[in-house]
Amino acid sequence: MKKVIHTDNAPKAVGPYSQAVQMGDFLFCSGQISIDPKTNEVFTGDIKTQTQMVMKNIEAVLTAGGMNFSNIVKTTIFITNMNDFATVNEVYAQYFKDAPPARSTVAVAGLPKGVNVEIEVLAHR
């Protein structure tokens, strides 16, 4: 049975989608961007801070779904500039010390709200 996951500890959806949807033992998380969930303000500054904010938002959604980073089996990273790859990777790696998930990284022309990184995850209980 499909269950919508929502938490006030992650940004509100900026469109017609859920923060995450749980189906059986899987948690399908929508992409997170650098929005502060407390103020709903978008941060478009340095890529390191953007990525840190994204990872905190992912953590909040995972927690709401009863999971954590060790449950993630696949991630997709969208970045607007491949020159930012090393910095994004540096922050991302801090969350996956052992057995990192499968991953794709895609350069895109633009992302919502003018941010430079968006990350979506798929987790399994």
Side-chain angles (χ1 to χ4, degrees):
M1 174 177 259
K2 177 175 140 176
K3 176 182 176 187
V4 171
I5 303 298
H6 172 79
T7 177
D8 290 335
N9 295 323
K12 294 174 179 54
V14 296
Y17 61 87
S18 300
Q19 291 171 328
V21 172
Q22 186 173 344
M23 184 67 120
D25 290 336
F26 285 95
L27 186 65
F28 299 86
C29 300
S30 294
Q32 289 293 322
I33 61 175
S34 54
I35 296 177
D36 183 333
K38 292 181 180 78
T39 63
N40 212 34
E41 290 185 22
V42 179
F43 178 81
T44 57
D46 71 275
I47 193 68
K48 184 173 184 176
T49 302
Q50 282 190 49
T51 307
Q52 291 167 335
M53 291 176 73
V54 167
M55 298 305 284
K56 286 179 185 171
N57 290 339
I58 289 170
E59 185 174 32
V61 174
L62 288 169
T63 299
M67 297 189 195
N68 59 48
F69 285 100
S70 69
N71 294 103
I72 296 175
V73 294
K74 173 72 168 81
T75 66
T76 305
I77 300 175
F78 303 95
I79 56 177
T80 58
N81 186 339
M82 272 297 176
N83 291 329
D84 291 331
F85 179 82
T87 303
V88 170
N89 212 36
E90 176 188 319
V91 173
Y92 175 93
Q94 295 171 10
Y95 293 84
F96 302 105
K97 302 287 188 207
D98 300 314
R103 183 180 94 180
S104 302
T105 303
V106 181
V108 295
L111 288 166
K113 305 286 187 181
V115 300
N116 302 105
V117 61
E118 178 175 359
I119 302 175
E120 67 179 26
V121 304
L122 170 61
H124 184 264
R125 188 174 321 280

